[in-house]
Amino acid sequence: MSTEMSMPEFEQVEHPGPVSWPETARREIDVIFTRYPDKKSATLPVLWLAVKEFGWISPQVEAIAADVLERPLNEIHAVVTFYTMFPKRPLGRHHIQICRNIACWMANAPELLEYFKARLGIHPGEVTADGRFSLEEVECLAYCECAPALRIDNRYEGNLTREKIDQIISEAL
Amino acid sequence: MKLVTRNIGKENSHTLAVAQADGAYSRVAAAIARTPDDIVQEVIKSNLRGLGGAGFPAGRKWSFLPKGSPKPRYLVVNGDEGEPGTVKDKYIMIHDPHLLIEGIIITCWAIQCHKAFIYIRGEYDLPIQRVESAIAEAKGAGILGERVMGHDFALDIVVHRGAGAYICGEETALLESLEGKRGWPRLKPPFPAVEGYQRCPTVVNNIETLSYVPFVIEMGAQAFADLGSERNGGLRMYSVSGRVKKPGVYELPMGTPLRQIIYEHAGGIAGDRKLKAVIPGGSSSPILTPDEIDVPMDFDSLAKIGSMLGSAGIIVFDETVSIPEALLVLSRFYAHESCGQCTPCREGTAWMEKIIHRIIAGDGSAGDADNLVRIARNIIGNTICPLGDAAAMPVISYVTKFRGEFEEWIKRGRPISAREAPITHIGEKMPGRSAVAV
Ligand SMILES: Cc1cc2nc3c(=O)[nH]c(=O)nc-3n(C[C@H](O)[C@H](O)[C@H](O)COP(=O)(O)O)c2cc1C
Ligand code: SF4
Ligand code: FES
């Protein structure tokens, strides 16, 4: 919704071939269903499982999610596109989310973002040519006491400096 | 004195063995021995307020559940922690998840509910993992399940992971999201207590609020209330960020003066520079000037001076921070997070961002400060949820209290040194800015 400063919107990318839930995922979905009074409430957890299984949520993934959730496809699409954490296209092997909100901004996050862009040769919303990294600018990560902060894969890093960024990049294979 | 933060720093404080050695779940039996209504009354008397933002008295909210409804009841715990400047709930989830579960058990007994959901923001991998394994441990030990600690009371707790949307912290958007939909806030009334999750009576409370409940039972309402200030019982966690020497979370009595939090607990201003302004309660709260910081940090005292205690996310600005640029950062955030349902919020937040952006870019015009205030006033009170107000109030307070700074940007335009840079560099090359690594 924001103007020129937000990350570029990309089209949802299709998977190269057909996708289907592996048997293990089907069993996990059955467990998820036991937690809620209806299937619809299981939508977010099923989509999270889809991200784990398929890497991103393509139109094909939306279709198989709609199928197990017994919901119309357009409803699933509306949900997928509402939430910023559901990737709509392949990400890098390491996805970096750098905060741009108030505490991080005050702690020089804009300059560190420039540094990331220079080191990786990509802009927010892009993936490096070798597929190793993708970069995203995000709002407050609730790590303001350690500003400037970022989230990479499943962890947080705070009190960022150029040296720390170098280290994060060299350690992520 | 510490309550909800007292186990932080202890080794393995998140495990059942360590937590129980420290008294976790010791207050459940005492609570279940009393009638549910008795517990509700106790919590009302304790003056425990909702610590997620709005400050509504917790016990009173519980008492609004309709009596005798045949529908199931739900407790939904808000762990979305999205308000910029607020970092507290994660400490409880990471270091003391069993305290949270104990608070949930006692609350569920008080409101007679058998199913609780904990909605945790999607980025919080470690908090989610800690809370989930604590629930599993508690189930294994018979603390949760068909018979809570051997009592004739069943309780199940489910963790629900969010997926990146600030608006889902708003309670009705959160319920929509839990129901598997987009996080579009609902018009109130009906309030969640009457029609919440799946149109059933639902209590929504913040993580920190519920984590204080075991202490209300342990200490008694009066002793808990006495820790705080008038009508604001107990302690709370203040998140401090920005230009202070020791940013972090400080658990202190309700009503602790803001000056004391900044200068004593957080060590004062970084680099011993001068204080310029303080956001007292998360990014949505109107900003305070240095002559206002003797205010006691409780809901009523801040309301009296036209601001909000909110989530108690204190963000400190020193003399080198540019107020118009800071407002651009926040306005961009609100424009980005508006769910778009209401025209005044959707259009207003976009326009406010655009106008501040053009002021910063050196293209501001003479009426722009007034334009901002006018647009903001048109949002307030005209929207479905409080995000509209949350976006408008900072604009009004920053422009009113620091009008000279906006006028100067408008008159002089963008500094030449910054002209080359795209606007996403805001902050980088502005006069007087220094890179502070606290
Ligand atoms: C835009 C918006 C965002 C909110 N975000 C949160 C949040 O992240 N966490 C939270 O506990 N409350 C948040 N709230 C407040 C909730 O709507 C609700 O008042 C609160 O969870 C109730 O719990 P409490 O009474 O224990 O504070 C938000 C409110 C609004 C309007
Ligand atoms: S006020 Fe804004 S965020 Fe809230 S419902 Fe309306 S458009 Fe959505
Ligand atoms: S502002 Fe960056 S983590 Fe909160």
Side-chain angles (χ1 to χ4, degrees), chain B residues 248-269:
Chain B
V249 171
Y250 300 93
E251 187 184 23
L252 298 164
M254 279 281 199
T256 304
L258 180 54
R259 179 185 300 279
Q260 192 182 327
I261 300 176
I262 295 172
Y263 284 95
E264 287 176 29
H265 300 282
I269 311 302

Side-chain angles (χ1 to χ4, degrees), chain B residues 126-157:
Chain B
L126 182 61
I128 289 171
Q129 189 193 317
R130 288 276 169 91
V131 172
E132 280 185 336
S133 48
I135 291 171
E137 267 190 301
K139 275 185 186 158
I143 292 165
L144 292 172
E146 283 309 310
R147 294 182 60 82
V148 167
M149 300 182 82
H151 300 279
D152 185 16
F153 179 64
L155 178 60
D156 181 32
I157 305 180

Side-chain angles (χ1 to χ4, degrees), chain B residues 361-372:
Chain B
D363 302 324
S365 46
D368 275 353
D370 289 328
N371 284 339
L372 282 172

Side-chain angles (χ1 to χ4, degrees), chain B residues 318-331:
Chain B
D318 71 23
E319 56 189 326
T320 67
V321 178
S322 147
I323 298 287
E325 288 179 85
L327 188 58
L328 176 55
V329 171
L330 293 181
S331 299

